[in-house]
Amino acid sequence: MTPPRNSNAVRDIANVLHPYTDHRAHAETGPLVIARGEGVRVWDDQGKEYIEAVAGLWCASLGFDNKRLAEAAYAQMKKLPFYHSFTAKSHEPLIDLSEMLIERSPCPMSKVFYANSGSEANDTAIKMIWYANNAMGRPNKKKIISRLKAYHGITIASGSLTGLPANHRMFDLPVSDRFVHVSTPHHYHGAQPGESEEAFATRLAEELDQVIQREGPETVAAFFAEPVMGAGGVMVPPATYFEKVQAVLKKHDVMFVADEVICGFGRTGNYWGSQTYAITPDIITCAKALSASFLPISAIIINDRVFQALADGSHTIGTWGHGFTYSGHPVPAAVAVETLKIYDELDIVGHVRKTGPHLQKRLRERFADHPLVGEVRGIGLVGAIELVADKATHRNFDAALKVGPRMTKLGEAEGVILRGLANDTVAFSPPLIMTEAEIDAMVERTGRALDTLTVQLRRESLAVV
């Protein structure tokens, strides 16, 4: 049925350029227009209800309505709607939030800087590392190592860190040979026959060591890693991986940047993913759940070694020439302060420790033996099912079949909004407030969609024969 001439869908097609969208296809199919939200559910502009299985973009940690956060924003708007933090200016929400983040850090940290997104946070971390090494008299120590299938953002620098083909093709990324990628720590696809997780982790750490030695330890500045890889496919690291990687980094005096944009604030069952995997980072980047995504804000938390180098450099030059108009904007900062208070009051980590195992159990019960599911993976309240053409060989479907996108559309028909990732992986990262009953409903709706997809693919296969 053709939508009404002045409908939201038609107006959207006429005027909006969407991220991560096939715009030719969009002109034919149009958008799903979300009109309102409540708890873990959203409704479209036609009144249809959906369970949001990925909290928007891994980020609506407190769901889609929270009166306290709305009131915190309004109160700050009435008191001080804007001020900047350039040239030693400050305000109370900025100071409060920085103090709270330092107190909650997984290891001793020194200072906090603010941006507006995870991409900007990782871009800033890169600039900090280059600046610090110049200040420390190490002008050649500038190369950054990331992983294939990592996701660290889409600015020119953070997009160069990201290890996904769609984020590089036609963008001329990576932008220089300062960005180096090593193997994805995904045992399901990357391990050799019979190789244990521990042996696989040893091999990956040896690869990292060899890459650093090949590039020259005097040229390698930092290693960026998500504790659990998110947009690349929800890859949980193999046992002992980060222990062995950190030993290599320490050996070559290479900084560790923990990208906690998805994992931070309880997602993995600890306040930080770094705590889940015993990571001791030099820099932490975070965003998304920092304000429950009610307003845009991100943070870069640095240890004292990094701060002292930045301070020395800024004293030599007379300034640290980096910042954004909205760095530490008082309204998002006030909302973030209230968000952290709510996490404490709800014991959000304790809640995830209770509901996370239930999610992992239900995903495995419903999908592990499904004929289309090759692997079920996850930890805490983040998980994924990977759809494959052959369970025995782990062979993925031909990309032309668009199995993942079809699955997400079938999910919408069943009233669940899913996130399709590489290799036809379907991600789950619901609001942290989700209950066990809501998890059951989410899994059931997803299961119905997958069963429908199975029937469709079987019919298509028979038709080809």
Side-chain angles (χ1 to χ4, degrees):
M1 185 171 102
T2 303
R5 191 164 125 195
N6 291 323
S7 70
N8 286 328
V10 168
R11 292 164 57 218
D12 179 281
I13 291 169
N15 298 288
V16 180
L17 184 70
H18 289 268
Y20 287 84
T21 299
D22 176 340
H23 292 286
R24 296 298 181 203
H26 178 66
E28 298 295 325
T29 60
L32 174 63
V33 181
I34 301 300
R36 68 182 183 92
E38 182 180 334
V40 302
R41 290 172 166 82
V42 295
W43 283 259
D44 67 23
D45 61 351
Q46 303 303 305
K48 181 176 173 61
E49 171 260 359
Y50 306 84
I51 295 174
E52 237 298 355
V54 202
L57 287 172
W58 323 81
C59 54
S61 52
L62 294 176
F64 294 90
D65 67 318
N66 189 291
K67 186 176 180 181
R68 281 178 59 177
L69 297 185
E71 289 175 344
Y74 183 47
Q76 186 59 45
M77 285 180 180
K78 289 192 294 181
K79 182 178 181 181
L80 182 68
F82 167 75
Y83 213 73
H84 64 86
S85 54
F86 281 40
T87 60
K89 304 296 190 300
S90 197
H91 51 77
E92 196 167 15
L94 175 69
I95 297 166
D96 288 345
L97 181 58
S98 301
E99 186 175 67
M100 293 172 80
L101 286 172
I102 293 295
E103 289 173 350
R104 289 161 175 75
S105 292
C107 56
M109 302 301 262
S110 178
K111 301 291 184 294
V112 188
F113 178 87
Y114 295 92
N116 308 292
S117 68
S119 296
E120 291 173 348
N122 284 321
D123 200 287
T124 293
I126 294 166
K127 291 183 72 177
M128 286 178 167
I129 290 161
W130 289 346
Y131 192 99
N133 275 309
N134 284 332
M136 289 189 283
R138 309 190 301 188
N140 296 321
K141 203 168 177 67
K142 300 292 172 61
K143 292 179 181 177
I144 312 289
I145 297 177
S146 178
R147 284 103 50 94
L148 295 171
K149 295 193 176 181
Y151 188 85
H152 296 293
I154 45 72
T155 59
I156 290 176
S158 67
S160 295
L161 279 181
T162 289
L164 297 168
N167 298 109
H168 289 174
R169 291 177 62 188
M170 296 195 192
F171 290 112
D172 294 343
L173 297 178
V175 72
S176 80
D177 62 4
R178 284 188 174 187
F179 298 95
V180 181
H181 293 84
V182 294
S183 295
T184 309
H186 187 192
H187 187 266
Y188 180 72
H189 281 300
Q192 296 170 352
E195 189 174 36
S196 68
E197 286 194 28
E198 291 82 355
F200 180 49
T202 297
R203 181 160 59 85
L204 293 180
E206 289 172 350
E207 178 203 26
L208 176 63
D209 191 26
Q210 291 164 7
V211 167
I212 293 172
Q213 294 191 55
R214 180 195 73 203
E215 298 292 330
E218 72 283 357
T219 74
V220 178
F223 175 80
F224 275 67
E226 308 153 89
V228 174
M229 298 177 80
V234 187
M235 268 85 82
V236 177
T240 71
Y241 172 76
F242 279 117
E243 172 190 341
K244 292 168 180 173
V245 161
Q246 287 182 101
V248 172
L249 300 178
K250 184 176 181 181
K251 170 184 172 183
H252 296 295
D253 191 17
V254 173
M255 294 183 193
F256 193 127
V257 182
D259 182 338
E260 294 270 9
V261 171
I262 287 175
C263 296
F265 308 102
R267 177 64 61 187
T268 64
N270 287 292
Y271 208 88
W272 304 96
S274 293
Q275 293 166 314
T276 301
Y277 296 106
I279 299 168
T280 305
D282 298 280
I283 299 175
I284 298 168
T285 58
C286 60
K288 296 188 184 292
L290 174 57
S291 65
S293 289
F294 268 57
L295 285 172
I297 186 171
S298 62
I300 306 92
I301 310 170
I302 62 176
N303 67 13
D304 193 59
R305 183 189 183 201
V306 175
F307 169 68
Q308 294 300 334
L310 299 184
D312 288 344
S314 69
H315 187 63
T316 298
I317 296 170
T319 186
W320 185 54
H322 177 78
F324 306 99
T325 300
Y326 302 124
S327 293
H329 189 293
V331 181
V335 171
V337 167
E338 194 68 15
T339 299
L340 300 191
K341 290 179 180 178
I342 292 171
Y343 290 156
D344 291 348
E345 293 170 21
L346 294 180
D347 183 17
I348 204 69
V349 170
H351 178 74
V352 174
R353 288 178 179 174
K354 177 175 179 287
T355 55
H358 184 73
L359 171 65
Q360 302 304 324
K361 177 184 177 185
R362 292 291 291 116
L363 290 177
R364 284 159 179 79
E365 286 175 346
R366 183 62 175 85
F367 300 117
D369 295 328
H370 195 282
L372 291 189
V373 176
E375 184 182 37
V376 181
R377 51 184 180 262
I379 187 171
L381 277 183
V382 59
I385 57 174
E386 183 172 334
L387 309 183
V388 295
D390 190 318
K391 288 173 72 83
T393 64
H394 302 182
R395 179 172 59 86
N396 291 106
F397 284 98
D398 187 326
L401 292 174
K402 298 184 182 296
V403 169
R406 288 169 63 179
M407 177 62 189
T408 60
K409 294 302 290 185
L410 289 169
E412 289 172 11
E414 292 290 345
V416 59
I417 295 179
L418 303 166
R419 180 82 187 275
L421 305 174
N423 288 350
D424 298 318
T425 295
V426 178
F428 302 86
S429 183
L432 299 179
I433 58 171
M434 184 173 260
T435 66
E436 292 186 3
E438 290 167 336
I439 289 170
D440 292 341
M442 176 183 71
V443 170
E444 180 56 34
R445 295 183 189 192
T446 303
R448 291 199 300 265
L450 185 57
D451 291 343
T452 300
L453 177 63
T454 305
V455 172
Q456 289 181 358
L457 292 173
R458 187 176 297 126
R459 287 173 179 167
E460 292 166 12
S461 175
L462 290 172
V464 170
V465 174

